[in-house]
Structure formats: structure tokens, C-alpha cells
Amino acid sequence: MRVTMTSAAARTGHANEDFTGAVPTAAVLIDGAGISGTESICRHGVAWYANRLGGGLLSLLSLVRDRSLSALLAEAIEQVTDDHRDTCDVADPISPSATVAILRLSDGLAEHLVLGDSVLVLDRADGAPRVVSDPREVIISRSYQSALEATAEGSDEYHRVLRDLRANRNQPGGFWLAKDDPRAADEAIIGSSLISELTGAVLLSNGASRIVDRFRLADWPGVMAVLASNGPAEIIHRVRQAEARHAVAADDATIAHCTDLGEA
């Protein structure tokens, strides 16, 4: 498998809280999540959490071939939580968390896992791309959007609404992220496809997938065509242009484009 990766921090001098990496038969993308005050809860920070979780997952994916992706994610969450359990308040609602996307090739299958609002797209040889996403956080966040927009950012009421939104995280009926509880892995979106039916796949953080789901600059077949001709950097370049044009705050943007899947 050939993997081409590009990651860009939201702005110069800002730590990139995304992670991506690959081993010969798997690719991983992590999008770290944190909010104001996280540094007072965890001395390591969101970028550390994302890198630690991603590195742990890659190690497990390369060494353990006979366990499900959900089981490997659960173990990786437990490992990184144990790494800072004695120094940080890992259970606090604002401690670092992350979304996850995984692609693994095994025995003729391309297995996938998505947890949170990262996106994985399977480029099919015969038919439109298959888009794998976990919409729960987006759906729940929309119900709070009007209240947040009607309140002064940073005010006590603004933070109260945010707390209410966060109360839905890793709860039944809410949305799920990698954080301190390995049971969140059981809530991931999982599936598989025959490798022979695919021409490639791409993993995107939500800062990169906004080329489709926010700015509508392309559809997914169009994104796959740009990736094939110009690579992931071009997608992120177009996102940055759209962010500037629409005065939208930039986000960390990361893409792992996987091709030659039959050569795993």
C-alpha cells in the first residue's frame, strides 16, 4: 500500500493537534480536540494526546493482526490514559480527546473504523465513492448552534451552553470520542470492503473534509480526482483559500491518501 500524507496546522506558531501515520497494511488519522482550560487539566496537551494515541494504534496495528479494530482502539485509549493518569485529571470533561479514522488491509479486505467527525472515503472501481462518517457530534452540535450564536463568546452563558453540549460526549444518545474510557471504541462506525473492488481510500480530519461538507467546493468523486492528479496538499490549499475568502477560522487539516491497496 502506498500512502501519501499531508498535514497543516491551523496557523503559524500553533501546535498541530492532528496526527497521521501508516504501516505497510494500515493507516491512522487522529484529530485531537481540546478547549480553553484543557492545559489546566492535562499538562501534556491535546497534540501530545493525539500523537500518543496515534503512535500506540500504529504499533498495535503492526503487531496484532487477529483482533478487531475496535479492540485495538480500546487498548490504545487505555494505554494513553494510563500514560497520564497519575499526572492529569483524565476524567475531567475538558481533558484531551480525539476523533479517529483507521484503514487496515487484511486477508483481501479493507477494514475501516471511524469515531467522531473525521471522514474516510473508499474509492470504488465500479461506482461512486463510499463515504464513511460518524454524524452524531455534528447533529447534536446543531441543536446548540443558535444559542451559541446568540450569546457573547466567552461569557458565562456561552460557557454554560458549551458545558451542556459537552455533557452529551461519551454518553448514550450522545456522541463518542476517544478520551479516557476505552468503551468509547465500541461505539465506532466499522465495516469492510473487498480490496479488489477499491482503487484507493482517503482519511481526512474535519479541517480537510470541509472542502466538501462546509465550502461545497467539490463532491467526493471530485476530491478523489484531485487527489489522484495533484495530491493531498492541493486539497488543503483549496480549503485554506476558502477559509480566507469566507473569513472562517482555519483548522488543522490532515489527509492520508492510500493507493495501490492490492500491494499490501
Side-chain angles (χ1 to χ4, degrees):
M1 179 172 69
R2 182 192 301 271
V3 184
T4 305
M5 297 175 283
T6 300
S7 187
R11 59 186 181 276
T12 303
H14 168 78
N16 190 336
E17 295 172 347
D18 288 353
F19 168 95
T20 192
V23 293
T25 57
V28 168
L29 187 146
I30 307 292
D31 185 350
I35 60 174
S36 178
T38 295
E39 62 279 358
S40 67
I41 301 301
C42 175
R43 71 182 191 182
H44 302 95
V46 175
W48 176 90
Y49 183 88
N51 282 292
R52 202 79 164 196
L53 181 64
L57 266 172
L58 286 176
S59 178
L60 289 168
L61 286 161
S62 64
L63 296 173
V64 182
R65 306 294 180 89
D66 60 349
R67 295 175 64 196
S68 69
L69 294 182
S70 297
L72 296 183
L73 176 57
E75 183 169 342
I77 292 171
E78 188 165 17
Q79 287 177 350
V80 71
T81 301
D82 286 345
D83 285 344
H84 69 143
R85 189 186 302 278
D86 294 336
T87 57
C88 309
D89 188 355
V90 297
D92 189 284
I94 65 171
S95 68
S97 59
T99 72
V100 181
I102 307 171
L103 177 75
R104 178 174 67 178
L105 309 182
S106 176
D107 297 327
L109 292 177
E111 301 173 274
H112 63 261
L113 177 150
V114 173
L115 182 68
D117 61 4
S118 291
V119 177
L120 188 148
V121 183
L122 301 167
D123 201 12
R124 298 188 290 182
D126 185 15
R130 178 183 177 188
V131 181
V132 183
S133 62
D134 180 354
R136 289 171 289 189
E137 182 176 2
V138 173
I139 291 170
I140 290 171
S141 295
R142 283 176 186 154
S143 64
Y144 291 86
Q145 195 62 40
S146 60
L148 288 171
E149 291 175 351
T151 308
E153 186 172 352
S155 66
D156 289 345
E157 178 62 14
Y158 187 87
H159 287 296
R160 185 196 66 76
V161 176
L162 280 179
R163 285 195 300 271
D164 289 346
L165 169 58
R166 291 183 212 117
N168 293 281
R169 183 174 59 183
N170 290 4
Q171 296 292 329
F175 59 91
W176 298 83
L177 301 172
K179 188 176 172 292
D180 61 299
D181 187 349
R183 291 174 296 183
D186 294 333
E187 300 293 333
I189 309 299
I190 59 172
S192 64
S193 303
L194 292 173
I195 293 174
S196 60
E197 296 178 351
L198 304 177
T199 59
V202 61
L203 293 68
L204 308 96
S205 67
N206 69 342
S209 67
R210 54 174 51 177
I211 190 170
V212 173
D213 54 40
R214 179 160 190 170
F215 296 124
R216 315 292 182 190
L217 297 177
D219 56 13
W220 287 114
V223 166
M224 302 310 293
V226 173
L227 287 170
S229 60
N230 299 103
E234 177 62 22
I235 298 294
I236 295 177
H237 173 66
R238 295 185 188 187
V239 168
R240 292 290 184 251
Q241 288 183 319
E243 289 166 342
R245 190 161 56 246
H246 297 283
V248 171
D251 190 9
D252 299 332
T254 300
I255 299 173
H257 183 212
C258 307
T259 55
D260 300 334
L261 303 186
E263 299 177 16

PDB file of all heavy atoms in Angstrom, residues 179-216:
ATOM      1  N   LYS A 179     -11.123   9.271  24.479  1.00  0.00           N
ATOM      2  CA  LYS A 179     -10.743  10.149  25.577  1.00  0.00           C
ATOM      3  C   LYS A 179     -10.085   9.297  26.666  1.00  0.00           C
ATOM      4  O   LYS A 179      -8.963   8.851  26.488  1.00  0.00           O
ATOM      5  CB  LYS A 179     -11.967  10.928  26.089  1.00  0.00           C
ATOM      6  CG  LYS A 179     -11.645  12.009  27.102  1.00  0.00           C
ATOM      7  CD  LYS A 179     -12.908  12.772  27.468  1.00  0.00           C
ATOM      8  CE  LYS A 179     -12.671  13.741  28.615  1.00  0.00           C
ATOM      9  NZ  LYS A 179     -12.398  13.025  29.891  1.00  0.00           N
ATOM     10  N   ASP A 180     -10.788   9.036  27.761  1.00  0.00           N
ATOM     11  CA  ASP A 180     -10.211   8.239  28.849  1.00  0.00           C
ATOM     12  C   ASP A 180     -10.894   6.891  29.026  1.00  0.00           C
ATOM     13  O   ASP A 180     -10.402   6.045  29.762  1.00  0.00           O
ATOM     14  CB  ASP A 180     -10.286   9.004  30.169  1.00  0.00           C
ATOM     15  CG  ASP A 180     -11.729   9.315  30.572  1.00  0.00           C
ATOM     16  OD1 ASP A 180     -12.405  10.030  29.804  1.00  0.00           O
ATOM     17  OD2 ASP A 180     -12.184   8.835  31.628  1.00  0.00           O
ATOM     18  N   ASP A 181     -12.026   6.677  28.363  1.00  0.00           N
ATOM     19  CA  ASP A 181     -12.805   5.451  28.547  1.00  0.00           C
ATOM     20  C   ASP A 181     -12.699   4.566  27.311  1.00  0.00           C
ATOM     21  O   ASP A 181     -13.212   4.926  26.249  1.00  0.00           O
ATOM     22  CB  ASP A 181     -14.270   5.800  28.810  1.00  0.00           C
ATOM     23  CG  ASP A 181     -15.112   4.586  29.190  1.00  0.00           C
ATOM     24  OD1 ASP A 181     -14.616   3.453  29.056  1.00  0.00           O
ATOM     25  OD2 ASP A 181     -16.266   4.776  29.610  1.00  0.00           O
ATOM     26  N   PRO A 182     -12.031   3.424  27.410  1.00  0.00           N
ATOM     27  CA  PRO A 182     -11.868   2.564  26.229  1.00  0.00           C
ATOM     28  C   PRO A 182     -13.174   2.039  25.667  1.00  0.00           C
ATOM     29  O   PRO A 182     -13.226   1.612  24.505  1.00  0.00           O
ATOM     30  CB  PRO A 182     -10.985   1.423  26.751  1.00  0.00           C
ATOM     31  CG  PRO A 182     -11.120   1.442  28.227  1.00  0.00           C
ATOM     32  CD  PRO A 182     -11.352   2.882  28.602  1.00  0.00           C
ATOM     33  N   ARG A 183     -14.246   2.084  26.450  1.00  0.00           N
ATOM     34  CA  ARG A 183     -15.534   1.592  25.951  1.00  0.00           C
ATOM     35  C   ARG A 183     -16.063   2.454  24.807  1.00  0.00           C
ATOM     36  O   ARG A 183     -16.963   2.021  24.065  1.00  0.00           O
ATOM     37  CB  ARG A 183     -16.550   1.533  27.092  1.00  0.00           C
ATOM     38  CG  ARG A 183     -16.240   0.450  28.128  1.00  0.00           C
ATOM     39  CD  ARG A 183     -17.176   0.511  29.299  1.00  0.00           C
ATOM     40  NE  ARG A 183     -17.029   1.768  30.047  1.00  0.00           N
ATOM     41  CZ  ARG A 183     -17.692   2.047  31.159  1.00  0.00           C
ATOM     42  NH1 ARG A 183     -18.572   1.180  31.651  1.00  0.00           N
ATOM     43  NH2 ARG A 183     -17.497   3.202  31.776  1.00  0.00           N
ATOM     44  N   ALA A 184     -15.546   3.662  24.641  1.00  0.00           N
ATOM     45  CA  ALA A 184     -15.967   4.500  23.510  1.00  0.00           C
ATOM     46  C   ALA A 184     -15.683   3.811  22.177  1.00  0.00           C
ATOM     47  O   ALA A 184     -16.396   4.037  21.189  1.00  0.00           O
ATOM     48  CB  ALA A 184     -15.257   5.855  23.560  1.00  0.00           C
ATOM     49  N   ALA A 185     -14.668   2.950  22.140  1.00  0.00           N
ATOM     50  CA  ALA A 185     -14.321   2.268  20.894  1.00  0.00           C
ATOM     51  C   ALA A 185     -15.460   1.379  20.402  1.00  0.00           C
ATOM     52  O   ALA A 185     -15.590   1.133  19.192  1.00  0.00           O
ATOM     53  CB  ALA A 185     -13.056   1.432  21.093  1.00  0.00           C
ATOM     54  N   ASP A 186     -16.290   0.897  21.318  1.00  0.00           N
ATOM     55  CA  ASP A 186     -17.409   0.049  20.919  1.00  0.00           C
ATOM     56  C   ASP A 186     -18.468   0.818  20.145  1.00  0.00           C
ATOM     57  O   ASP A 186     -19.350   0.217  19.524  1.00  0.00           O
ATOM     58  CB  ASP A 186     -18.059  -0.585  22.154  1.00  0.00           C
ATOM     59  CG  ASP A 186     -17.139  -1.572  22.858  1.00  0.00           C
ATOM     60  OD1 ASP A 186     -16.268  -2.154  22.177  1.00  0.00           O
ATOM     61  OD2 ASP A 186     -17.273  -1.743  24.083  1.00  0.00           O
ATOM     62  N   GLU A 187     -18.423   2.156  20.207  1.00  0.00           N
ATOM     63  CA  GLU A 187     -19.406   2.990  19.527  1.00  0.00           C
ATOM     64  C   GLU A 187     -18.945   3.438  18.141  1.00  0.00           C
ATOM     65  O   GLU A 187     -19.656   4.164  17.448  1.00  0.00           O
ATOM     66  CB  GLU A 187     -19.700   4.234  20.378  1.00  0.00           C
ATOM     67  CG  GLU A 187     -20.259   3.922  21.754  1.00  0.00           C
ATOM     68  CD  GLU A 187     -21.641   3.308  21.709  1.00  0.00           C
ATOM     69  OE1 GLU A 187     -22.373   3.582  20.737  1.00  0.00           O
ATOM     70  OE2 GLU A 187     -21.982   2.552  22.634  1.00  0.00           O
ATOM     71  N   ALA A 188     -17.758   3.024  17.728  1.00  0.00           N
ATOM     72  CA  ALA A 188     -17.221   3.452  16.442  1.00  0.00           C
ATOM     73  C   ALA A 188     -18.020   2.864  15.287  1.00  0.00           C
ATOM     74  O   ALA A 188     -18.647   1.805  15.398  1.00  0.00           O
ATOM     75  CB  ALA A 188     -15.759   3.038  16.330  1.00  0.00           C
ATOM     76  N   ILE A 189     -17.981   3.559  14.148  1.00  0.00           N
ATOM     77  CA  ILE A 189     -18.564   3.077  12.905  1.00  0.00           C
ATOM     78  C   ILE A 189     -17.536   2.154  12.236  1.00  0.00           C
ATOM     79  O   ILE A 189     -16.412   2.586  11.944  1.00  0.00           O
ATOM     80  CB  ILE A 189     -18.902   4.242  11.958  1.00  0.00           C
ATOM     81  CG1 ILE A 189     -19.736   5.311  12.687  1.00  0.00           C
ATOM     82  CG2 ILE A 189     -19.601   3.730  10.714  1.00  0.00           C
ATOM     83  CD1 ILE A 189     -21.061   4.835  13.201  1.00  0.00           C
ATOM     84  N   ILE A 190     -17.888   0.898  12.003  1.00  0.00           N
ATOM     85  CA  ILE A 190     -16.934  -0.051  11.441  1.00  0.00           C
ATOM     86  C   ILE A 190     -17.542  -0.741  10.226  1.00  0.00           C
ATOM     87  O   ILE A 190     -18.757  -0.767  10.039  1.00  0.00           O
ATOM     88  CB  ILE A 190     -16.492  -1.104  12.473  1.00  0.00           C
ATOM     89  CG1 ILE A 190     -17.701  -1.888  13.007  1.00  0.00           C
ATOM     90  CG2 ILE A 190     -15.743  -0.453  13.616  1.00  0.00           C
ATOM     91  CD1 ILE A 190     -17.317  -3.063  13.894  1.00  0.00           C
ATOM     92  N   GLY A 191     -16.674  -1.314   9.394  1.00  0.00           N
ATOM     93  CA  GLY A 191     -17.135  -2.047   8.238  1.00  0.00           C
ATOM     94  C   GLY A 191     -15.952  -2.547   7.429  1.00  0.00           C
ATOM     95  O   GLY A 191     -14.788  -2.389   7.828  1.00  0.00           O
ATOM     96  N   SER A 192     -16.223  -3.159   6.283  1.00  0.00           N
ATOM     97  CA  SER A 192     -15.160  -3.661   5.430  1.00  0.00           C
ATOM     98  C   SER A 192     -15.635  -3.734   3.990  1.00  0.00           C
ATOM     99  O   SER A 192     -16.838  -3.757   3.708  1.00  0.00           O
ATOM    100  CB  SER A 192     -14.693  -5.043   5.901  1.00  0.00           C
ATOM    101  OG  SER A 192     -15.738  -5.989   5.792  1.00  0.00           O
ATOM    102  N   SER A 193     -14.657  -3.748   3.083  1.00  0.00           N
ATOM    103  CA  SER A 193     -14.913  -3.891   1.656  1.00  0.00           C
ATOM    104  C   SER A 193     -13.857  -4.813   1.074  1.00  0.00           C
ATOM    105  O   SER A 193     -12.761  -4.955   1.625  1.00  0.00           O
ATOM    106  CB  SER A 193     -14.820  -2.531   0.951  1.00  0.00           C
ATOM    107  OG  SER A 193     -15.705  -1.583   1.511  1.00  0.00           O
ATOM    108  N   LEU A 194     -14.184  -5.447  -0.047  1.00  0.00           N
ATOM    109  CA  LEU A 194     -13.188  -6.234  -0.756  1.00  0.00           C
ATOM    110  C   LEU A 194     -12.138  -5.301  -1.356  1.00  0.00           C
ATOM    111  O   LEU A 194     -12.486  -4.319  -2.036  1.00  0.00           O
ATOM    112  CB  LEU A 194     -13.847  -7.058  -1.854  1.00  0.00           C
ATOM    113  CG  LEU A 194     -14.774  -8.190  -1.411  1.00  0.00           C
ATOM    114  CD1 LEU A 194     -15.483  -8.794  -2.622  1.00  0.00           C
ATOM    115  CD2 LEU A 194     -13.995  -9.261  -0.666  1.00  0.00           C
ATOM    116  N   ILE A 195     -10.871  -5.605  -1.110  1.00  0.00           N
ATOM    117  CA  ILE A 195      -9.817  -4.778  -1.678  1.00  0.00           C
ATOM    118  C   ILE A 195      -9.909  -4.756  -3.199  1.00  0.00           C
ATOM    119  O   ILE A 195      -9.658  -3.722  -3.842  1.00  0.00           O
ATOM    120  CB  ILE A 195      -8.431  -5.301  -1.234  1.00  0.00           C
ATOM    121  CG1 ILE A 195      -8.247  -5.099   0.266  1.00  0.00           C
ATOM    122  CG2 ILE A 195      -7.315  -4.611  -2.004  1.00  0.00           C
ATOM    123  CD1 ILE A 195      -6.979  -5.721   0.822  1.00  0.00           C
ATOM    124  N   SER A 196     -10.307  -5.861  -3.782  1.00  0.00           N
ATOM    125  CA  SER A 196     -10.390  -5.955  -5.238  1.00  0.00           C
ATOM    126  C   SER A 196     -11.410  -4.998  -5.839  1.00  0.00           C
ATOM    127  O   SER A 196     -11.361  -4.703  -7.042  1.00  0.00           O
ATOM    128  CB  SER A 196     -10.733  -7.391  -5.646  1.00  0.00           C
ATOM    129  OG  SER A 196     -11.988  -7.784  -5.093  1.00  0.00           O
ATOM    130  N   GLU A 197     -12.329  -4.503  -5.021  1.00  0.00           N
ATOM    131  CA  GLU A 197     -13.352  -3.582  -5.507  1.00  0.00           C
ATOM    132  C   GLU A 197     -12.957  -2.114  -5.340  1.00  0.00           C
ATOM    133  O   GLU A 197     -13.720  -1.223  -5.707  1.00  0.00           O
ATOM    134  CB  GLU A 197     -14.670  -3.838  -4.775  1.00  0.00           C
ATOM    135  CG  GLU A 197     -15.257  -5.226  -5.051  1.00  0.00           C
ATOM    136  CD  GLU A 197     -16.530  -5.485  -4.282  1.00  0.00           C
ATOM    137  OE1 GLU A 197     -16.873  -4.657  -3.395  1.00  0.00           O
ATOM    138  OE2 GLU A 197     -17.196  -6.509  -4.557  1.00  0.00           O
ATOM    139  N   LEU A 198     -11.776  -1.861  -4.767  1.00  0.00           N
ATOM    140  CA  LEU A 198     -11.354  -0.493  -4.462  1.00  0.00           C
ATOM    141  C   LEU A 198     -10.142  -0.089  -5.285  1.00  0.00           C
ATOM    142  O   LEU A 198      -9.268  -0.911  -5.570  1.00  0.00           O
ATOM    143  CB  LEU A 198     -11.006  -0.364  -2.970  1.00  0.00           C
ATOM    144  CG  LEU A 198     -12.096  -0.756  -1.967  1.00  0.00           C
ATOM    145  CD1 LEU A 198     -11.557  -0.644  -0.545  1.00  0.00           C
ATOM    146  CD2 LEU A 198     -13.327   0.115  -2.137  1.00  0.00           C
ATOM    147  N   THR A 199     -10.083   1.203  -5.612  1.00  0.00           N
ATOM    148  CA  THR A 199      -8.899   1.759  -6.251  1.00  0.00           C
ATOM    149  C   THR A 199      -8.080   2.602  -5.286  1.00  0.00           C
ATOM    150  O   THR A 199      -6.950   2.981  -5.595  1.00  0.00           O
ATOM    151  CB  THR A 199      -9.285   2.616  -7.464  1.00  0.00           C
ATOM    152  OG1 THR A 199     -10.152   3.675  -7.035  1.00  0.00           O
ATOM    153  CG2 THR A 199     -10.017   1.779  -8.505  1.00  0.00           C
ATOM    154  N   GLY A 200      -8.648   2.907  -4.133  1.00  0.00           N
ATOM    155  CA  GLY A 200      -7.931   3.700  -3.148  1.00  0.00           C
ATOM    156  C   GLY A 200      -8.843   4.073  -1.999  1.00  0.00           C
ATOM    157  O   GLY A 200     -10.013   3.672  -1.938  1.00  0.00           O
ATOM    158  N   ALA A 201      -8.287   4.840  -1.071  1.00  0.00           N
ATOM    159  CA  ALA A 201      -9.047   5.321   0.077  1.00  0.00           C
ATOM    160  C   ALA A 201      -8.368   6.576   0.601  1.00  0.00           C
ATOM    161  O   ALA A 201      -7.177   6.802   0.361  1.00  0.00           O
ATOM    162  CB  ALA A 201      -9.111   4.254   1.174  1.00  0.00           C
ATOM    163  N   VAL A 202      -9.132   7.385   1.310  1.00  0.00           N
ATOM    164  CA  VAL A 202      -8.557   8.594   1.899  1.00  0.00           C
ATOM    165  C   VAL A 202      -9.154   8.825   3.272  1.00  0.00           C
ATOM    166  O   VAL A 202     -10.344   8.612   3.499  1.00  0.00           O
ATOM    167  CB  VAL A 202      -8.766   9.830   0.974  1.00  0.00           C
ATOM    168  CG1 VAL A 202     -10.241  10.114   0.747  1.00  0.00           C
ATOM    169  CG2 VAL A 202      -8.065  11.050   1.544  1.00  0.00           C
ATOM    170  N   LEU A 203      -8.300   9.211   4.217  1.00  0.00           N
ATOM    171  CA  LEU A 203      -8.695   9.573   5.574  1.00  0.00           C
ATOM    172  C   LEU A 203      -8.500  11.079   5.710  1.00  0.00           C
ATOM    173  O   LEU A 203      -7.436  11.605   5.342  1.00  0.00           O
ATOM    174  CB  LEU A 203      -7.845   8.851   6.616  1.00  0.00           C
ATOM    175  CG  LEU A 203      -7.975   7.330   6.749  1.00  0.00           C
ATOM    176  CD1 LEU A 203      -7.441   6.598   5.522  1.00  0.00           C
ATOM    177  CD2 LEU A 203      -7.212   6.835   7.981  1.00  0.00           C
ATOM    178  N   LEU A 204      -9.507  11.786   6.248  1.00  0.00           N
ATOM    179  CA  LEU A 204      -9.432  13.243   6.355  1.00  0.00           C
ATOM    180  C   LEU A 204      -9.879  13.694   7.742  1.00  0.00           C
ATOM    181  O   LEU A 204     -10.896  13.213   8.268  1.00  0.00           O
ATOM    182  CB  LEU A 204     -10.330  13.939   5.327  1.00  0.00           C
ATOM    183  CG  LEU A 204     -10.197  13.556   3.857  1.00  0.00           C
ATOM    184  CD1 LEU A 204     -11.238  12.502   3.477  1.00  0.00           C
ATOM    185  CD2 LEU A 204     -10.376  14.792   2.969  1.00  0.00           C
ATOM    186  N   SER A 205      -9.159  14.634   8.319  1.00  0.00           N
ATOM    187  CA  SER A 205      -9.663  15.312   9.512  1.00  0.00           C
ATOM    188  C   SER A 205     -10.758  16.275   9.086  1.00  0.00           C
ATOM    189  O   SER A 205     -10.888  16.614   7.899  1.00  0.00           O
ATOM    190  CB  SER A 205      -8.535  16.071  10.221  1.00  0.00           C
ATOM    191  OG  SER A 205      -8.060  17.147   9.430  1.00  0.00           O
ATOM    192  N   ASN A 206     -11.567  16.738  10.039  1.00  0.00           N
ATOM    193  CA  ASN A 206     -12.692  17.608   9.653  1.00  0.00           C
ATOM    194  C   ASN A 206     -12.212  18.964   9.137  1.00  0.00           C
ATOM    195  O   ASN A 206     -12.960  19.668   8.475  1.00  0.00           O
ATOM    196  CB  ASN A 206     -13.701  17.761  10.788  1.00  0.00           C
ATOM    197  CG  ASN A 206     -13.172  18.561  11.953  1.00  0.00           C
ATOM    198  OD1 ASN A 206     -11.956  18.745  12.116  1.00  0.00           O
ATOM    199  ND2 ASN A 206     -14.073  19.030  12.802  1.00  0.00           N
ATOM    200  N   GLY A 207     -10.968  19.319   9.428  1.00  0.00           N
ATOM    201  CA  GLY A 207     -10.422  20.542   8.853  1.00  0.00           C
ATOM    202  C   GLY A 207     -10.139  20.421   7.373  1.00  0.00           C
ATOM    203  O   GLY A 207     -10.078  21.426   6.656  1.00  0.00           O
ATOM    204  N   ALA A 208      -9.971  19.199   6.883  1.00  0.00           N
ATOM    205  CA  ALA A 208      -9.761  18.951   5.455  1.00  0.00           C
ATOM    206  C   ALA A 208     -11.056  18.594   4.747  1.00  0.00           C
ATOM    207  O   ALA A 208     -11.284  19.007   3.600  1.00  0.00           O
ATOM    208  CB  ALA A 208      -8.734  17.835   5.265  1.00  0.00           C
ATOM    209  N   SER A 209     -11.932  17.841   5.420  1.00  0.00           N
ATOM    210  CA  SER A 209     -13.183  17.427   4.773  1.00  0.00           C
ATOM    211  C   SER A 209     -14.125  18.595   4.529  1.00  0.00           C
ATOM    212  O   SER A 209     -15.081  18.476   3.748  1.00  0.00           O
ATOM    213  CB  SER A 209     -13.901  16.367   5.613  1.00  0.00           C
ATOM    214  OG  SER A 209     -14.372  16.898   6.843  1.00  0.00           O
ATOM    215  N   ARG A 210     -13.847  19.762   5.123  1.00  0.00           N
ATOM    216  CA  ARG A 210     -14.723  20.923   4.889  1.00  0.00           C
ATOM    217  C   ARG A 210     -14.695  21.388   3.430  1.00  0.00           C
ATOM    218  O   ARG A 210     -15.544  22.189   3.038  1.00  0.00           O
ATOM    219  CB  ARG A 210     -14.372  22.077   5.839  1.00  0.00           C
ATOM    220  CG  ARG A 210     -12.932  22.528   5.827  1.00  0.00           C
ATOM    221  CD  ARG A 210     -12.633  23.773   6.669  1.00  0.00           C
ATOM    222  NE  ARG A 210     -13.125  23.724   8.034  1.00  0.00           N
ATOM    223  CZ  ARG A 210     -12.919  24.688   8.953  1.00  0.00           C
ATOM    224  NH1 ARG A 210     -12.208  25.769   8.614  1.00  0.00           N
ATOM    225  NH2 ARG A 210     -13.381  24.599  10.161  1.00  0.00           N
ATOM    226  N   ILE A 211     -13.751  20.889   2.633  1.00  0.00           N
ATOM    227  CA  ILE A 211     -13.788  21.204   1.206  1.00  0.00           C
ATOM    228  C   ILE A 211     -15.109  20.743   0.596  1.00  0.00           C
ATOM    229  O   ILE A 211     -15.632  21.358  -0.333  1.00  0.00           O
ATOM    230  CB  ILE A 211     -12.598  20.559   0.456  1.00  0.00           C
ATOM    231  CG1 ILE A 211     -12.531  21.102  -0.968  1.00  0.00           C
ATOM    232  CG2 ILE A 211     -12.681  19.040   0.447  1.00  0.00           C
ATOM    233  CD1 ILE A 211     -11.268  20.719  -1.717  1.00  0.00           C
ATOM    234  N   VAL A 212     -15.699  19.669   1.168  1.00  0.00           N
ATOM    235  CA  VAL A 212     -16.985  19.159   0.699  1.00  0.00           C
ATOM    236  C   VAL A 212     -18.115  19.595   1.614  1.00  0.00           C
ATOM    237  O   VAL A 212     -19.108  20.181   1.175  1.00  0.00           O
ATOM    238  CB  VAL A 212     -16.959  17.616   0.602  1.00  0.00           C
ATOM    239  CG1 VAL A 212     -18.357  17.067   0.276  1.00  0.00           C
ATOM    240  CG2 VAL A 212     -15.965  17.158  -0.452  1.00  0.00           C
ATOM    241  N   ASP A 213     -17.980  19.298   2.915  1.00  0.00           N
ATOM    242  CA  ASP A 213     -19.142  19.429   3.791  1.00  0.00           C
ATOM    243  C   ASP A 213     -19.393  20.844   4.301  1.00  0.00           C
ATOM    244  O   ASP A 213     -20.468  21.111   4.841  1.00  0.00           O
ATOM    245  CB  ASP A 213     -19.058  18.438   4.962  1.00  0.00           C
ATOM    246  CG  ASP A 213     -17.751  18.536   5.746  1.00  0.00           C
ATOM    247  OD1 ASP A 213     -17.258  19.649   5.975  1.00  0.00           O
ATOM    248  OD2 ASP A 213     -17.228  17.464   6.138  1.00  0.00           O
ATOM    249  N   ARG A 214     -18.446  21.755   4.128  1.00  0.00           N
ATOM    250  CA  ARG A 214     -18.695  23.141   4.537  1.00  0.00           C
ATOM    251  C   ARG A 214     -18.664  24.095   3.360  1.00  0.00           C
ATOM    252  O   ARG A 214     -19.582  24.891   3.171  1.00  0.00           O
ATOM    253  CB  ARG A 214     -17.673  23.583   5.586  1.00  0.00           C
ATOM    254  CG  ARG A 214     -17.875  25.025   6.024  1.00  0.00           C
ATOM    255  CD  ARG A 214     -17.250  25.332   7.340  1.00  0.00           C
ATOM    256  NE  ARG A 214     -17.655  26.639   7.842  1.00  0.00           N
ATOM    257  CZ  ARG A 214     -17.403  27.087   9.058  1.00  0.00           C
ATOM    258  NH1 ARG A 214     -16.757  26.315   9.928  1.00  0.00           N
ATOM    259  NH2 ARG A 214     -17.791  28.283   9.437  1.00  0.00           N
ATOM    260  N   PHE A 215     -17.621  24.030   2.548  1.00  0.00           N
ATOM    261  CA  PHE A 215     -17.461  25.008   1.480  1.00  0.00           C
ATOM    262  C   PHE A 215     -18.062  24.568   0.149  1.00  0.00           C
ATOM    263  O   PHE A 215     -18.196  25.395  -0.765  1.00  0.00           O
ATOM    264  CB  PHE A 215     -15.979  25.338   1.300  1.00  0.00           C
ATOM    265  CG  PHE A 215     -15.355  26.001   2.500  1.00  0.00           C
ATOM    266  CD1 PHE A 215     -14.236  25.448   3.112  1.00  0.00           C
ATOM    267  CD2 PHE A 215     -15.906  27.149   3.036  1.00  0.00           C
ATOM    268  CE1 PHE A 215     -13.667  26.053   4.218  1.00  0.00           C
ATOM    269  CE2 PHE A 215     -15.342  27.765   4.150  1.00  0.00           C
ATOM    270  CZ  PHE A 215     -14.216  27.214   4.743  1.00  0.00           C
ATOM    271  N   ARG A 216     -18.400  23.289   0.021  1.00  0.00           N
ATOM    272  CA  ARG A 216     -19.027  22.780  -1.206  1.00  0.00           C
ATOM    273  C   ARG A 216     -18.201  23.094  -2.448  1.00  0.00           C
ATOM    274  O   ARG A 216     -18.732  23.402  -3.522  1.00  0.00           O
ATOM    275  CB  ARG A 216     -20.443  23.359  -1.391  1.00  0.00           C
ATOM    276  CG  ARG A 216     -21.301  23.359  -0.149  1.00  0.00           C
ATOM    277  CD  ARG A 216     -21.679  21.972   0.282  1.00  0.00           C
ATOM    278  NE  ARG A 216     -22.561  21.978   1.458  1.00  0.00           N
ATOM    279  CZ  ARG A 216     -22.892  20.906   2.153  1.00  0.00           C
ATOM    280  NH1 ARG A 216     -22.408  19.720   1.813  1.00  0.00           N
ATOM    281  NH2 ARG A 216     -23.688  20.991   3.188  1.00  0.00           N
TER     282      ARG A 216
END
